[in-house]
Amino acid sequence: MNEPSPGIVLIEDDPQIRRFLVAALEVHGYQVHEAPTAAEGLRLVAARQPDLVILDLGLPDLGGLEVIRRLREWYARPILVLSARTREQDKVAALDLGADDYLTKPFGIDELLARLRVALRHLAGRQTGDAGGRIEAGNLVIDAAARRVTKGGTDVHLTPREYQLLLALASQRGRVLTHRQLLREVWGPAHVESTHYLRIYMRALRAKIEEDPARPRWLLTEIGVGYRFADPE
């Protein structure tokens, strides 16, 4: 039997963009339900329980950030933000509230499709669980059960904090984690403003796991926003 098509609720007030996205996504096998307002979008998500939500921030009846806040009270699946807002503050706010990714308009459909594939892989991983808590990326292996990291078969000796930071990023590979999210998870709520901690530890971590720390392959910087563990296509 064929697997069911992934379901998406698209919350976007611009009719031209909606038509374009619905046509492009359906051609690539997605089942799309569209909503021109936040109210209709929230109703559709509740009714359809889609695999993923695509959300514009500039809606006529309710701000997109408030939509994310309301969705995250009960909806645990991926939320991908599409927005013409390019300010880092907007990206950080959306990600801190629980969005999984942020794509700035204008965007290419190939990039959108790649982001959707990453988000849906994360969803599948959460639903089935990682195989024994083992994460592989090239010659890097993170064995969460054994709390062991190897590179090319050789043990990588990390401090407890370095290990926590690596695991926080790698366990959500492909997803941008903001400075505040990482600081809260690794250092605790009292340190959410201590971004200098992240810079210091990220530099040390790259020196240990990257082939060329100056041109990292895995631990990527999202300037002004946070960090991301690269998700291989």
Side-chain angles (χ1 to χ4, degrees):
M1 293 180 63
N2 293 329
E3 293 185 5
S5 301
I8 293 175
V9 166
L10 169 64
I11 309 174
E12 165 65 66
D13 67 319
D14 187 313
Q16 286 186 304
I17 294 177
R18 274 204 321 277
R19 284 195 295 270
F20 165 72
L21 287 174
V22 169
L25 293 172
E26 288 182 344
V27 163
H28 286 86
Y30 294 96
Q31 183 179 6
V32 185
H33 306 280
E34 52 184 303
T37 65
E40 177 63 11
L42 289 167
R43 186 194 68 78
L44 267 180
V45 176
R48 297 287 182 175
Q49 291 294 312
D51 298 293
L52 187 141
V53 171
I54 298 177
L55 171 68
D56 179 30
L57 291 185
L59 298 169
D61 55 335
L62 188 67
L65 295 179
E66 180 61 24
V67 175
I68 297 171
R69 184 180 291 109
R70 294 189 186 186
L71 283 173
R72 281 301 181 232
E73 292 176 357
W74 52 271
Y75 180 77
R77 294 176 179 179
I79 298 172
L80 172 62
V81 169
L82 297 180
S83 180
R85 302 177 188 177
T86 59
R87 296 189 313 161
E88 290 170 357
Q89 299 97 307
D90 294 314
K91 297 180 182 181
V92 170
L95 293 165
D96 274 342
L97 284 170
D100 292 77
D101 206 348
Y102 192 113
L103 196 55
T104 303
K105 298 175 183 177
F107 55 87
I109 193 64
D110 287 341
E111 183 177 7
L112 173 61
L113 291 169
R115 304 285 185 101
L116 292 179
R117 288 194 296 271
V118 169
L120 291 171
R121 278 201 297 270
H122 293 165
L123 175 62
R126 291 200 299 268
Q127 290 173 338
T128 61
D130 288 322
R134 183 182 174 92
I135 301 168
E136 297 186 20
N139 67 350
L140 185 70
V141 177
I142 304 165
D143 186 341
R147 293 183 63 87
R148 183 185 180 204
V149 178
T150 59
K151 177 181 171 185
T154 302
D155 282 333
V156 179
H157 298 289
L158 302 178
T159 68
R161 197 78 75 181
E162 289 169 351
Y163 175 79
Q164 284 180 278
L165 180 57
L166 177 61
L167 187 62
L169 287 160
S171 62
Q172 300 195 60
R173 51 189 165 185
R175 178 180 177 181
V176 180
L177 296 179
T178 67
H179 298 128
R180 290 177 66 88
Q181 288 171 329
L182 286 167
L183 287 163
R184 186 183 301 114
E185 182 170 345
V186 178
W187 280 270
H191 297 281
V192 293
E193 304 297 337
S194 305
T195 54
H196 61 286
Y197 287 175
L198 274 179
R199 289 194 297 271
I200 293 167
Y201 276 85
M202 190 60 68
R203 190 180 306 122
L205 199 50
R206 283 172 171 158
K208 292 181 179 182
I209 73 165
E210 298 282 4
E211 297 297 332
D212 182 356
R215 303 175 68 180
R217 178 184 179 188
W218 301 114
L219 297 172
L220 307 182
T221 299
E222 298 289 334
I223 296 174
V225 177
Y227 296 96
R228 173 170 58 92
F229 193 96
D231 192 289
E233 279 295 311

